Amino acid sequence: MGKGSNVQKATAARERNQKKLGKTPEERKAATAKARADSTAFSCLLCKQTFMINARPPVLYLHVTTKHGFDTVPATCFPALKDFDPEDPKGEKAAKKEKEAKAAEAKKKKAKNSADLGDLFDSGLNLGKKTKKKFGK
């Protein structure tokens, strides 16, 4: 029994050689550009300190309060902190308020629709013609 055709052997050898060569120059250039962009994702506008792309708003807020003092407005350092609430770092309170507002709006809409239906019935709209049953014929 053989160990496969020459075509299979050639493709396997080609794959092994590709792994040994590594990345192409274009791939290397793209990877370094991405790494540079990610490393300077957040930059403090006052002291020019950089933060990685995965830095969360609480980390950025901590930088503002520790480096620049409590009287500094966070949005002056990081524009991403414009709507940040330090009392609600995960945004749960804001999400809850938004959900309640949507529920209230839906309730008002539902009440309006039921009132419209009541108005239709009051104005003389009936459910439709009733047919009389005839017996014996």
Side-chain angles (χ1 to χ4, degrees), residues 28-102:
R28 282 193 199 102
K29 190 181 281 187
T32 55
K34 183 182 181 305
R36 265 194 225 110
D38 288 349
S39 67
T40 60
F42 295 107
S43 179
C44 178
L45 299 176
L46 297 179
C47 67
K48 304 298 182 199
Q49 183 175 348
T50 58
F51 292 86
M52 293 290 284
I53 189 82
N54 59 354
R56 300 278 179 234
V59 174
L60 302 176
Y61 182 77
L62 181 67
H63 165 80
V64 172
T65 56
T66 56
K67 285 269 186 156
H68 305 296
F70 286 100
D71 57 339
T72 305
V73 178
T76 59
C77 290
F78 301 103
L81 292 180
K82 182 180 72 169
D83 296 327
F84 179 72
D85 182 15
E87 300 296 323
D88 184 26
K90 292 185 179 179
E92 294 169 350
K93 291 179 186 175
K96 186 177 179 183
K97 284 182 185 179
E98 186 177 317
K99 186 177 179 183
E100 289 173 355
K102 283 184 181 179

Side-chain angles (χ1 to χ4, degrees), residues 4-15:
S5 70
N6 286 337
V7 175
Q8 289 173 331
K9 291 178 187 178
T11 55
R14 198 173 303 118
E15 288 176 6

